[in-house]
DNA sequence: GTGGTCTAGACCACG
DNA sequence: GTGGTCTAGACCACG
């Protein structure tokens, strides 16, 4: 499993782990039934406290994205793609609402915001 | 001055104050030279700790958006519109970058994101 | 607030806290808006680690039963009686299902189980 | 021998084995003297660790429900029906006590609990 | 003071 | 080995 931790991003470490695992499930790099590294092993790999990896796995289990069993470890649970996708779209819409609100405050029209978005998109691609 | 505090938004109270004052300056509801309520008065009005209003005013002063003078109070400082506008655009671009990143994770194209944005925009208007 | 911790019950301490707070809300000993003791204070009172009280409050917040705000503390959130009652009935029905299953294994009829329940009930009352 | 393991029930695997064997003895599907599969064979059948089946048999032996002899295997021991039945009744009474406690918290009377039990019983039967 | 995050370390039941 | 619970202790932003 490929997880990268940033100490400077401001995003809590446990959430970085949660989100990156969700992302990998969403992109089918992790499949239902796949065995995840143990919280101890992952902690060693990421050079992070066991408690932090545990917290991440707890969150994922609470959302039904993984199943953990004492003595056996943690596994990607069956078919969460729908759930994760819906959750993702929801978050996207929330971001859009914030964006539109911010744009309105700056007295930008929807077209100006769209233009800005396309300009930023082109910049990102050319990097 | 018209400030509304939300306890459920998750946004720190002092930042809610900061941002709403900035917004009002940007929208010319507050003009250069305008006298702001004292931190004590504002704390009373908003039913919030004085520490909180103090923190908000400190932040605004640090950004040069208001001037505080012992014994006289705080005032909107001269011509911050450019600064606030640039800051707003910057924040908007950051939001857009996050949006594009999230969209990419969900395997949405830039056109699909644009469509979604327009759809959300129409919903917001019709409310 | 009146919470009693048992070290011998087998029920995790944080769950004992969670359940006793839920019980008190259900029985209107705690009302919406009531200020709960801080996690540190409660930890001192119960002679338990801060992490344990924190964990209890996290669980309660996740279920929407309380609201916690940095710097301000934790409060019973508005009208959870319905939620808690429904949850309680659900748990009761699950217990009943287990009971009936167990009774069936022992080849008891529903009437025999009912009798046993009334007998136990009388014993409990006379204690 | 017919044992079904559930990964989702939360009940430890070794206890699932213990309880299902007890049940089968109670219901005379397993009789005194019957030869049980070896821990290795059972582990293979259930796709479970040998440690787990070993733990289950140890528990059963400790309770005197089976006898294990090195080189010969494990056998249902003579006349445990009384013991298992008493144990079952005991457990049933404990469940009833919990039920009554829960019901009390929800401010249900003994009659309301009895009604609910009969209702659940009818649902179960009609399935 | 208050909760949020993080760390190091321990013991337990389970597999 | 594996996750579940618990402890003592730290630093941070917020009020």
């Amino acid at each position: 499993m490929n997880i990268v931790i940033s100490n400077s991003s401001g995003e809590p470490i446990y959430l970085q782990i949660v989100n990156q695992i969700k992302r990998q499930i969403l992109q089918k790099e992790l499949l239902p039934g796949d065995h995840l590294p143990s919280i101890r092993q992952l902690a060693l790999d990421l050079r992070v406290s066991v408690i932090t990896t545990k917290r991440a796995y707890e969150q994922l289990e609470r959302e039904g994205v993984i199943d953990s069993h004492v003595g056996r470890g943690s596994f990607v649970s069956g078919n969460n793609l729908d759930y994760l996708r819906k959750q993702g779209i929801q978050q996207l819409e929330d971001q859009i609402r914030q964006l539109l609100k911010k744009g309105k405050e700056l007295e930008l029209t929807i077209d100006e915001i769209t233009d800005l978005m396309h300009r930023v998109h082109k910049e990102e691609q050319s990097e």
Side-chain angles (χ1 to χ4, degrees), chain A:
Chain A
M1 213 170 51
N2 202 1
I3 289 181
V4 181
I5 297 304
S6 157
N7 283 314
S8 59
S9 80
E11 192 182 13
I13 298 176
Y14 80 92
L15 274 185
Q16 295 184 39
I17 299 174
V18 166
N19 288 330
Q20 290 188 44
I21 290 182
K22 283 186 181 175
R23 214 168 288 153
Q24 292 183 27
I25 295 177
L26 212 43
Q27 285 162 7
K28 295 178 186 166
E29 295 167 19
L30 283 175
L31 299 174
D34 277 2
H35 197 155
L36 295 168
S38 78
I39 56 174
R40 279 176 183 76
Q41 189 55 51
L42 186 59
L44 281 174
D45 291 351
L46 303 181
R47 278 169 226 188
V48 141
S49 164
V50 176
I51 294 180
T52 302
T53 51
K54 175 150 202 327
R55 195 168 187 183
Y57 277 26
E58 266 174 12
Q59 170 86 22
L60 288 167
E61 194 170 7
R62 223 177 289 127
E63 296 193 51
V65 174
I66 69 171
D67 294 307
S68 297
H69 304 278
V70 179
R72 285 187 286 159
S74 302
F75 304 83
V76 178
S77 56
N79 238 9
N80 308 103
L81 281 178
D82 261 19
Y83 168 72
L84 289 175
R85 217 179 147 70
K86 266 180 199 158
Q87 189 186 57
I89 298 285
Q90 186 88 47
Q91 289 166 350
L92 201 73
E93 288 180 355
D94 287 345
Q95 287 179 328
I96 288 176
R97 264 180 221 102
Q98 281 174 32
L99 192 73
L100 292 173
K101 192 178 161 214
K102 190 93 197 165
K104 205 174 164 189
E105 281 166 30
L106 295 166
E107 291 169 338
L108 298 176
T109 64
I110 177 77
D111 290 335
E112 286 169 324
I113 297 172
T114 308
D115 280 359
L116 185 55
M117 190 166 82
H118 280 86
R119 214 153 42 209
V120 171
H121 181 242
K122 270 174 198 153
E123 272 173 36
E124 299 268 295
Q125 276 188 317
S126 65
E127 267 167 22

